[in-house]
Amino acid sequence: MNIIVCVSHVPDTTTRINVGADKKSMDPAGVKFILNPYDEFAVEEALRLRDKFKGEVTAISVGADNAKEAIRQALAMGADKGILVKGDKSDSFQVADMLAAAIKPLSPDLILLGKQSIDFDGMEIASMLSELLDLPAATVAVALNIEGNKATVEKEVEGGRETIQLDMPCIVAAQKGLNEPRYPSLPNIMKAKQKPIQEVSGAPGAKRTEIVEMTKPEKKRANKIVKIDGNASQAAHELARMLHEEAKII
Amino acid sequence: MLVDYYDLESLLTEEQHMIRDTVRNFVESEVLPIIEEHNQAMTFPRELVPKIGSLGLLGPTLPEQYGCAGLDNIAYGLIMQELERGDSAVRSFASVQSSLVMYPIFTYGTEEQRMKWLPRLASGGAIGCFGLTEPDFGSNPGGMITNAKKTSNGYILNGAKMWITNGTIADVAVVWAKVDSDSSKSIRGFLVERGMKGFTAPEMKGKYSLRASVTSELVFQDVELPEENMLPGVAGLKGPLSCLTQARYGIAWGAIGAAMACYESSVDYAKSRIQFDKPIGGFQLVQAKLAEMLTEITKAQLLVYRLGTLKNEGKMRPQQVSMAKRNNVDMALQIARIARDVHGANGILGEYPIMRHMMNLESVRTYEGTHDIHTLVLGEDITGIAAYT
């Protein structure tokens, strides 16, 4: 089975993000990057399927040079080779367009990816790839079973689960719960260095979105404990006064 | 959060980064959630052993043909740091297995001995221990009483070892004994296997330190060892001492992990604990404590990074390891004690890692060469005059 996994290089969930000087991008200084957590489920699933059906897992990423780290992480988990498509990844359609162009000639049996990347959180790539490659897609997958040329996917829907069947080749976007991703073992981390990463330049169509401005969420206000003397009625009056005059929220 | 005030991060290779992060993730999700319970119950988290093995954390610097990762020494140090950020007991398990069992079998053993033991020890399928210290011979190992008598086809081993990490659960013990003589020059290493007649390993109870680690006595009563269980590659005290240099190198890194855990917890606590209407981190006395902690950790990091570079270049001297072990463990213990103050009453609770690290570090301070003995190692190196006796 020829499996493609799309991986994204994203800021660590615990890292502190600052907006860059242009107010349209993230300031990368001091930011720790990781393999997108949802993509880890995709990589794990790909490795399990490869071990079951034989074949090859190719990890592909769109981004700058440092996106190779995400590919390398997938290789350290056990993927066989990598492709870095060099390009800007701020517009979902461009990313999908560049991915589709790189994936198409490889004619994979299965394309796996995380349901979303935790940087831009667009949740659009799986559906866009489906359209661009003319392949069926299942999003938010929590179980995947392949028999013959059919893929059965259990996916989360509002308030429950839905089981759908897709013809292969197809696209499956992983949700947490699909599996328990492995840790890359130290020998595999060392071997990852020897695995090939092919670099290509992306040539996407025009952008469909433009980042106008990035801002940080407003700081949470400090909590305050106030002591109010008097009985319940007096306390309620005083509290109402403070909320009105000091906090100015009523 | 990384404690990296001097951006040592940028000196690491991509592999070293990935290794550090992998072990850190492993410790966060597999060790920290269970370690306090094991610590309270005084049980070794044996369920971690296969996981530690499959990650490749055992004997990680040894070559691939024995099932190991062939890492450099800085990567090895980072592994020790991250494991001890979890708990000294878990790091001690890995240290002993890697530096005190796999290292001598690799360095002084025959190819048969290597093939028999190293792949199993690397995967965690077998556990090893190291027997040097005796009830009456700690800082003076050359005085050991344990002896092996040469017979026509092997040796008869008699004696006892004490303070042996992993002892009771070990499948193989690397035991150092004098052969047919009282001289320390006759010391040889032997592989004593679980189940051999006359070999028992009772666990020592009642520890206030390294409670999540197995500490044992090893007792040998006329244990018959075949010739092929002797490590042929070394004779004399330099055999066990060379192993201890490896282990101490890892300890110097490990102690930083424990110190980081105490420091991080202290910073979080100082910023969130409110007294007199402001976070206690806003008071000068607390700030002084935090500044002191960060400075000492940073110095310790610089020490081991340079030591690792020297080790990678084959230029590291055992005395340099003594300096790093001595300084870093003392540093970590002092930080744990200061952290306990910062946390106030909460510092004594198992909910915070402080007291566990502090009690563990009390052992780390005196095992693998006491703080004082390492002082004398440096004293001798400086003056050329030995002051041990």
Side-chain angles (χ1 to χ4, degrees):
Chain A
M1 188 177 289
N2 178 10
I3 307 170
I4 301 281
V5 193
C6 307
V7 295
S8 190
H9 190 232
V10 299
D12 192 355
T13 43
T14 58
T15 205
R16 208 166 290 167
I17 306 282
N18 287 310
V19 177
D22 62 359
K23 295 204 168 168
K24 292 180 181 184
S25 62
M26 184 191 76
D27 178 5
V31 173
K32 184 171 153 50
F33 286 88
I34 56 169
L35 170 61
N36 177 38
Y38 293 108
D39 297 343
E40 280 188 27
F41 301 112
V43 174
E44 178 63 38
E45 199 66 16
L47 299 176
R48 290 182 191 191
L49 290 168
R50 178 200 59 192
D51 293 346
K52 190 171 166 189
F53 295 104
K54 305 286 171 253
E56 200 173 52
V57 174
T58 306
I60 182 166
S61 186
V62 170
D65 249 337
N66 64 2
K68 259 194 240 171
E69 289 167 24
I71 296 173
R72 199 82 72 193
Q73 184 79 9
L75 296 176
M77 286 174 75
D80 301 285
K81 56 187 191 179
I83 301 173
L84 170 66
V85 183
K86 284 193 174 175
D88 176 28
K89 60 171 194 170
S90 62
D91 178 78
S92 294
F93 182 76
Q94 285 194 328
V95 172
D97 201 19
M98 287 186 269
L99 283 173
I103 291 170
K104 195 156 196 170
L106 306 174
S107 32
D109 301 300
L110 178 66
I111 300 167
L112 284 159
L113 69 165
K115 74 171 172 98
Q116 72 194 89
S117 291
I118 61 163
D119 48 3
F120 291 100
D121 278 325
M123 296 190 80
E124 295 161 317
I125 303 295
S127 309
M128 287 175 171
L129 279 179
S130 170
E131 202 56 39
L132 290 165
L133 293 169
D134 196 20
L135 294 175
T139 54
V140 210
V142 288
L144 169 61
N145 188 34
I146 289 176
E147 266 176 63
N149 65 344
K150 300 272 185 206
T152 307
V153 175
E154 212 174 293
K155 56 173 298 213
E156 281 185 358
V157 290
E158 190 65 41
R161 287 189 176 184
E162 182 181 60
T163 303
I164 57 172
Q165 202 172 57
L166 296 84
D167 285 329
M168 307 258 292
C170 64
I171 300 164
V172 178
Q175 161 70 317
K176 186 178 181 180
L178 179 62
N179 52 44
E180 189 67 44
R182 70 194 64 188
Y183 298 99
S185 77
L186 272 41
N188 280 342
I189 289 175
M190 298 311 282
K191 279 179 206 144
K193 201 166 31 174
Q194 268 81 39
K195 293 180 182 174
I197 298 180
Q198 187 198 341
E199 289 184 35
V200 296
S201 294
K207 275 191 179 189
R208 306 271 172 112
T209 56
E210 185 86 38
I211 294 175
V212 181
E213 193 186 1
M214 278 190 186
T215 51
K216 289 188 81 166
E218 220 177 295
K219 263 199 175 171
K220 277 187 201 151
R221 274 171 234 236
N223 297 325
K224 186 176 169 189
I225 295 173
V226 289
K227 267 195 208 156
I228 301 172
D229 298 322
N231 63 27
S233 162
Q234 289 166 321
H237 271 101
E238 177 61 8
L239 189 59
R241 185 199 65 76
M242 289 169 100
L243 289 170
H244 181 64
E245 290 174 15
E246 290 178 23
K248 296 188 169 60
I249 54 171
I250 53 173
Chain B
M1 179 167 108
L2 285 172
V3 184
D4 184 21
Y5 206 63
Y6 270 24
D7 191 24
L8 287 163
E9 194 74 3
S10 62
L11 296 176
L12 302 182
T13 64
E14 193 180 339
E15 286 78 30
Q16 289 164 349
H17 268 273
M18 283 174 79
I19 288 162
R20 200 268 322 277
D21 290 349
T22 299
V23 183
R24 177 162 294 206
N25 290 339
F26 169 75
V27 168
E28 295 273 344
S29 39
E30 311 275 343
V31 178
L32 290 179
I34 62 163
I35 196 63
E36 178 54 25
E37 209 175 311
H38 279 287
N39 190 62
Q40 294 278 358
M42 234 185 129
T43 48
F44 173 64
R46 190 154 183 173
E47 62 270 32
L48 292 177
V49 174
K51 295 176 184 176
I52 289 173
S54 66
L55 263 180
L57 306 186
L58 301 172
T61 57
L62 300 186
E64 286 168 35
Q65 75 240 47
Y66 303 111
C68 304
L71 304 185
D72 78 287
N73 291 291
I74 288 176
Y76 174 70
L78 290 166
I79 294 171
M80 294 298 128
Q81 170 189 298
E82 293 307 316
L83 287 178
E84 195 148 359
R85 191 165 162 271
D87 194 272
S88 304
V90 179
R91 199 270 305 141
S92 294
F93 164 78
S95 267
V96 168
Q97 183 103 338
S98 302
S99 294
L100 298 182
V101 180
M102 297 176 74
Y103 172 81
I105 293 174
F106 173 73
T107 310
Y108 305 124
T110 61
E111 195 52 36
E112 288 72 34
Q113 289 168 336
R114 292 172 172 186
M115 288 315 292
K116 178 174 179 183
W117 288 109
L118 294 180
R120 286 176 61 201
L121 289 163
S123 70
I127 293 176
C129 70
F130 176 89
L132 174 66
T133 298
E134 298 187 355
D136 294 323
F137 293 91
S139 293
N140 176 23
M144 71 170 65
I145 294 168
T146 300
N147 66 88
K149 210 169 144 177
K150 186 82 187 84
T151 62
S152 57
N153 56 355
Y155 300 87
I156 304 277
L157 185 68
N158 275 288
K161 301 290 179 180
M162 207 174 182
W163 306 111
I164 310 304
T165 299
N166 300 352
T168 309
I169 56 172
D171 299 288
V172 60
V174 175
V175 177
W176 302 91
K178 288 175 178 167
V179 179
D180 292 330
S181 152
D182 275 343
S183 161
S184 67
K185 291 197 176 86
S186 75
I187 290 172
R188 306 296 299 239
F190 296 91
L191 301 175
V192 181
E193 298 171 26
R194 168 193 282 278
M196 281 182 158
K197 197 160 171 282
F199 171 39
T200 50
E203 187 169 355
M204 298 168 68
K205 297 285 185 188
K207 291 177 295 177
Y208 280 108
S209 176
L210 294 180
R211 288 169 60 87
S213 170
V214 174
T215 310
S216 316
E217 289 178 64
L218 306 180
V219 183
F220 313 103
Q221 206 164 16
D222 295 325
V223 180
E224 286 181 38
L225 292 169
E227 183 68 42
E228 67 258 27
N229 280 37
M230 199 263 288
L231 295 174
V234 73
L237 257 188
K238 78 166 193 288
L241 294 187
S242 69
C243 301
L244 292 175
T245 298
Q246 306 303 312
R248 288 162 184 163
Y249 170 80
I251 292 169
W253 280 88
I256 295 173
M260 281 176 172
C262 292
Y263 169 74
E264 286 167 357
S265 183
S266 298
V267 173
D268 286 347
Y269 191 84
K271 285 163 86 170
S272 59
R273 169 77 175 170
I274 311 285
Q275 286 294 289
F276 306 103
D277 298 327
K278 67 176 180 180
I280 61 168
F283 293 99
Q284 290 182 351
L285 285 175
V286 174
Q287 288 192 358
K289 289 181 173 74
L290 297 177
E292 185 67 22
M293 285 184 193
L294 182 58
T295 306
E296 289 306 316
I297 291 173
T298 304
K299 283 151 71 177
Q301 286 173 320
L302 293 168
L303 216 52
V304 289
Y305 183 84
R306 177 62 190 152
L307 191 65
T309 311
L310 288 170
K311 194 170 192 317
N312 280 345
E313 292 167 355
K315 294 181 195 158
M316 182 185 83
R317 298 166 59 231
Q319 292 86 345
Q320 293 169 324
V321 184
S322 285
M323 179 182 278
K325 192 268 182 188
R326 178 183 181 277
N327 180 78
N328 289 13
V329 176
D330 187 61
M331 168 285 296
L333 180 56
Q334 296 310 326
I335 283 181
R337 289 170 176 164
I338 300 169
R340 152 76 185 94
D341 278 353
V342 172
H343 285 71
N346 282 307
I348 71 161
L349 287 178
E351 194 184 326
Y352 295 89
I354 311 302
M355 202 79 166
R356 183 165 49 80
H357 282 302
M358 188 205 292
M359 295 200 299
N360 284 340
L361 288 162
E362 290 287 352
S363 289
V364 181
R365 185 176 159 90
T366 57
Y367 75 17
E368 310 261 352
T370 65
H371 184 80
D372 289 348
I373 285 290
H374 287 300
T375 311
L376 299 183
V377 169
L378 293 175
E380 182 187 6
D381 202 36
I382 296 162
T383 63
I385 308 165
Y388 306 103
T389 54

